[in-house]
Amino acid sequence: MFAAAFVERITNPHHSGLKLPQQKAATAGKAVKRLPPPERLIVSLWQHAGEPCSPLVQKGDRVIRGQKIGEARGLGAPVHAPICGRVVAVEPRLHPSGLWIPAVVIENDGRDSFLPLDRSFLGDGGSPEEMNPEGIRRLAREAGLVGMGGGLFPSYVKLTPRDDPRPDFLILNGCECEPYLTCDHRLMVEETPTLLWGARAMKRALGVSRVVIAIEDNKPDAIALLRQMVRGLPGFEVRVLPSLYPQGAERTLVRTITGRVVPRRGLPADVGVVVHNVATASALGRALLTGEPLLQRIVTVDGDAVAEPANYWVPIGLPVRELLKAAGVDESALRQVILGGPMMGTAVADLDVPVLKGCGGVLAFTARASPVDEAGPCLRCGRCLDACPQGLAPFQLARLVAAGRLDQAVTWGLADCVECGSCAYSCPSRRPLVQYLRMGKAAWREHPRPAVRTTLPGTPPTGQLGAVSNGIPGAQPRALPDRGTSEPVNQEQEVIPQGAA
Ligand code: SF4
Ligand code: SF4
């Protein structure tokens, strides 16, 4: 039975998705709050896919809000000063990735000056439909826009249409399928005109005929508002999708909206589709309308350790500790802090890491909601297999990564893992599958050679604050299905088929 299920998943990677506890009620209906001016920001020079930026300022310099302080090297996105102040350090600082990455530390001097972006190259027309497409891409680059859903890919690259195939579809991802997170929901409700201005500019830059705003059915107010506002915009429509996880994963979204299947190791652009997050569209709209680069974003702060769960406008570079303090978190009660959602987010070991452009949530939990679970042995139950939206065999990938057999893990599709966490959430043995897969992918990126051996430990690392993120704190995996056996199997006895895709 198990083998049959495995073959079916490998050959037919479509599944309906997980129905997760939403946990959004505490923040979804509240207006986004403003924070008091920060005293100090740590603006990381690495907030995008690609090399870190080169600093344009040095210790002692005065900067004003909007000033470019880091220039992209190659593929990348510049960073800007979110406040006026004095640069007190340009030095490596702890990054949410756990690495020490160069950052510009700015101390607020209380001034309120602003340096807007140059927009003279956009063309003479006032509306997005009349703007120069190349000018829109240039502004997206100069504004430091990246995928704000967490992808962090420089937006101007995704706004550059391929010649073959030419894109004909733009999907704006407003699904926000992770539990707890409501930052995109609030943005769609409160920033609708700015979002649509940016969306129209994206349509113009890409030259596509259709724009679909994809929203899960748990956001009825955003759906109603956007449906009303897109009336009269040619080619625009709002598509309502069921609340399933990971509905917002690009590959899933493209298949659901267009029926097209993104090839393995491919991109939506391979099938003529471009996907941007709604927050990215809104940031582009803001840059076009006001000349403001990406200096701030909406962040959901929630979890059982948070006294005032809400969404906040947060300046890029605000230390997580300051944000939690503003939300009424008692640090002494903390067990785990996650940046992002509970399924795909990263648990941090130090609260002095800064908020980055792609951070949509800061979740803080006490030991009550986030107990330390001992991982049990793999039961070969196949739950992870059923849960994987990519049609992978997570238990097998984790086993290969733990054994340092990365070449075989890649053969089994390691690179196709989108780190959605569905497998770990479904695992009755609480195996830290995603952590193994992340480690394996990172090691493979470092040494993409066949037969590479790594020094990966048998057990993924645990942060000082608590266990790494491994699903929804407090949530129990679904009941174990009857698959005919619950006996642990000797993992080393498994025969690995060569050439399996
Ligand atoms: S984390 Fe990777 S292996 Fe696990 S379910 Fe998601 S895509 Fe599949
Ligand atoms: S015990 Fe966990 S890792 Fe093993 S097959 Fe079941 S779900 Fe997958």
Side-chain angles (χ1 to χ4, degrees):
M1 183 189 297
F2 180 79
F6 177 66
V7 170
E8 185 190 341
R9 297 291 294 120
I10 288 283
T11 53
N12 178 21
H14 305 304
H15 80 135
S16 56
L18 298 175
K19 199 87 185 157
L20 300 179
Q22 298 283 305
Q23 312 280 26
K24 295 174 187 270
T27 59
K30 290 185 195 163
V32 182
K33 294 185 175 183
R34 295 270 169 191
L35 294 168
E39 289 179 10
R40 182 179 279 224
L41 296 179
I42 303 165
V43 184
S44 177
L45 292 170
W46 192 37
Q47 306 200 44
H48 51 262
E51 291 288 302
C53 290
S54 302
L56 297 175
V57 292
Q58 54 190 3
K59 185 177 175 182
D61 285 354
R62 291 269 172 194
V63 294
I64 61 175
R65 193 166 71 89
Q67 179 181 335
K68 193 192 286 186
I69 56 175
E71 184 56 281
R73 289 187 283 164
L75 178 75
V79 294
H80 304 77
I83 51 172
C84 296
R86 192 169 62 89
V87 175
V88 294
V90 180
E91 62 188 19
R93 288 295 181 109
L94 191 60
H95 186 272
S97 65
L99 303 172
W100 288 80
I101 301 291
V104 177
V105 184
I106 306 170
E107 214 166 62
N108 197 342
D109 64 8
R111 287 181 300 154
D112 190 25
S113 306
F114 173 54
L115 182 65
L117 295 164
D118 175 17
R119 289 167 286 165
S120 59
F121 45 76
L122 287 170
D124 295 332
S127 74
E129 288 75 19
E130 297 167 296
M131 289 176 187
N132 169 6
E134 187 51 44
I136 295 170
R137 285 188 282 277
R138 184 172 161 190
L139 190 77
R141 187 186 186 285
E142 286 304 307
L145 301 189
V146 296
M148 293 176 71
L152 297 177
F153 199 76
S155 303
Y156 75 91
V157 179
K158 284 175 74 174
L159 288 173
T160 306
R162 284 189 188 179
D163 287 334
D164 185 24
R166 291 295 290 184
D168 59 350
F169 239 109
L170 167 63
I171 298 175
L172 292 178
N173 187 352
C175 289
E176 200 166 48
C177 54
E178 280 248 21
Y180 288 98
L181 300 189
T182 57
C183 54
D184 289 346
H185 182 173
R186 292 312 310 172
L187 178 128
M188 288 188 282
V189 171
E190 298 185 31
E191 300 287 314
T192 324
T194 314
L195 190 171
L196 289 178
W197 196 264
R200 289 165 62 188
M202 285 179 163
K203 180 172 183 274
R204 171 73 173 159
L206 288 163
V208 296
S209 53
R210 296 185 64 184
V211 180
V212 172
I213 305 173
I215 311 178
E216 286 193 343
D217 58 9
N218 56 4
K219 305 172 186 65
D221 49 353
I223 292 165
L225 189 56
L226 276 160
R227 278 204 163 136
Q228 185 190 341
M229 302 266 300
V230 301
R231 264 186 224 137
L233 289 182
F236 275 73
E237 69 174 289
V238 174
R239 191 81 66 88
V240 181
L241 305 176
S243 301
L244 292 170
Y245 185 83
Q247 189 72 266
E250 277 196 353
R251 193 179 292 251
T252 307
L253 203 52
V254 170
R255 191 175 63 228
T256 307
I257 299 286
T258 69
R260 301 174 194 173
V261 177
V262 179
R264 284 223 154 155
R265 300 184 197 179
L267 296 169
D270 294 333
V271 292
V273 183
V274 178
V275 182
H276 282 282
N277 184 267
V278 287
T280 312
S282 178
L284 177 60
R286 184 181 285 260
L288 290 164
L289 290 165
T290 69
E292 183 179 303
L294 184 43
L295 306 178
Q296 57 180 337
R297 65 157 300 142
I298 301 176
V299 179
T300 305
V301 185
D302 202 349
D304 77 322
V306 181
E308 295 177 42
N311 283 285
Y312 294 86
W313 275 107
V314 177
I316 302 300
L318 186 73
V320 167
R321 171 170 280 119
E322 297 303 315
L323 180 55
L324 292 178
K325 201 162 107 186
V329 171
D330 173 9
E331 262 188 54
S332 65
L334 279 179
R335 167 76 187 121
Q336 187 180 49
V337 174
I338 298 171
L339 301 191
M343 299 296 284
M344 294 189 72
T346 307
V348 290
D350 191 313
L351 297 183
D352 286 325
V353 296
V355 169
L356 304 182
K357 294 174 180 177
C359 175
V362 176
L363 307 180
F365 299 102
T366 65
R368 187 162 39 89
S370 186
V372 178
D373 288 316
E374 289 296 325
C378 177
L379 308 173
R380 288 295 197 273
C381 65
R383 294 302 304 255
C384 55
L385 200 72
D386 290 338
C388 179
Q390 297 290 85
L392 303 174
F395 70 94
Q396 179 71 321
L397 290 171
R399 185 178 78 84
L400 291 169
V401 169
R405 292 151 72 180
L406 293 184
D407 52 330
Q408 288 178 316
V410 169
T411 303
W412 277 74
L414 178 66
D416 290 321
C417 170
V418 294
E419 302 175 18
C420 68
S422 298
C423 51
Y425 174 76
S426 302
C427 176
S429 281
R430 296 281 190 188
R431 295 190 61 73
L433 297 167
V434 189
Q435 283 71 50
Y436 281 119
L437 301 177
R438 280 183 184 159
M439 285 196 306
K441 287 172 72 178
W444 183 256
R445 277 195 295 271
E446 288 286 309
H447 304 286
R449 298 187 303 275
V452 68
R453 289 273 167 178
T454 73
T455 54
L456 292 171
T459 304
T462 297
Q464 291 164 13
L465 265 173
V468 287
S469 175
N470 192 26
I472 305 168
Q476 296 299 315
R478 291 176 297 179
L480 192 66
D482 180 9
R483 289 185 179 274
T485 176
S486 60
E487 290 300 310
V489 179
N490 180 351
Q491 299 185 356
E492 288 309 315
Q493 289 176 353
E494 184 141 331
V495 178
I496 303 167
Q498 297 298 314

